Amino acid sequence: MKINIPRKVLYGLAAPALILYIALNLHVYITNDSKYYSENPDEALAEFYIALAEQLKNNPNTEFINKLSESYRDKVIDDEEFMALARIQIEQKKLITVSYKEKIVFDNAKAKFAESWEKYQNENPVL
């Protein structure tokens, strides 16, 4: 027994199903928070990398630079290392500002920090 389904009915069912499928996948992609965090659970937040990139623009002292160089040797800065860097700045009466107002994509933040660090090293080759 052969079932005959008119094309209009088939398209009438398939088109909304396809649109729904695309809409759900788009919703999951947009609301997925994993892009805001590192795959490494020990790595610092994206906001911390942005804060460190900003500190490099403000003529940091040699103690801060030495600690940053030591901390970033493995290309990862964890929370404890960031807190040690922040403590150095606070002891020098310089504040380190971390902003949580907007969500920052982790890979972009780390790339910005790496770019700032490379630029600082090129401008100050005494490290």
Side-chain angles (χ1 to χ4, degrees):
M1 181 169 139
K2 190 174 178 184
I3 299 175
N4 250 347
I5 301 175
R7 284 189 179 175
K8 286 184 180 181
V9 172
L10 184 61
Y11 292 147
L13 295 174
L18 180 62
I19 291 170
L20 182 63
Y21 174 77
I22 291 170
L24 285 174
N25 279 321
L26 186 61
H27 174 72
V28 167
Y29 174 76
I30 290 172
T31 59
N32 185 0
D33 278 350
S34 66
K35 63 185 171 191
Y36 301 115
Y37 302 101
S38 171
E39 292 177 5
N40 179 350
D42 295 330
E43 194 161 9
L45 296 173
E47 291 83 0
F48 292 174
Y49 278 106
I50 295 292
L52 290 173
E54 293 299 319
Q55 286 299 304
L56 288 172
K57 295 177 185 175
N58 299 330
N59 280 337
N61 63 16
T62 54
E63 184 182 5
F64 179 86
I65 293 300
N66 291 339
K67 181 65 178 170
L68 182 58
S69 180
E70 177 188 320
S71 298
Y72 196 61
R73 190 169 290 131
D74 60 354
K75 302 294 183 210
V76 173
I77 295 179
D78 62 26
D79 292 340
E80 289 178 18
E81 291 168 334
F82 175 79
M83 292 313 228
L85 289 163
R87 197 172 302 114
I88 290 169
Q89 290 300 88
I90 291 169
E91 287 171 358
Q92 298 296 319
K93 307 276 190 258
K94 295 181 180 178
L95 295 179
I96 189 163
T97 306
V98 179
S99 174
Y100 294 102
K101 291 183 180 177
E102 60 185 55
K103 291 205 171 219
I104 301 169
V105 176
F106 181 82
D107 292 337
N108 297 347
K110 190 165 182 181
K112 181 179 178 183
F113 167 74
E115 181 182 311
S116 296
W117 179 237
E118 195 172 302
K119 181 180 176 187
Y120 183 86
Q121 287 178 323
N122 290 336
E123 292 173 355
N124 304 290
V126 185
L127 297 174

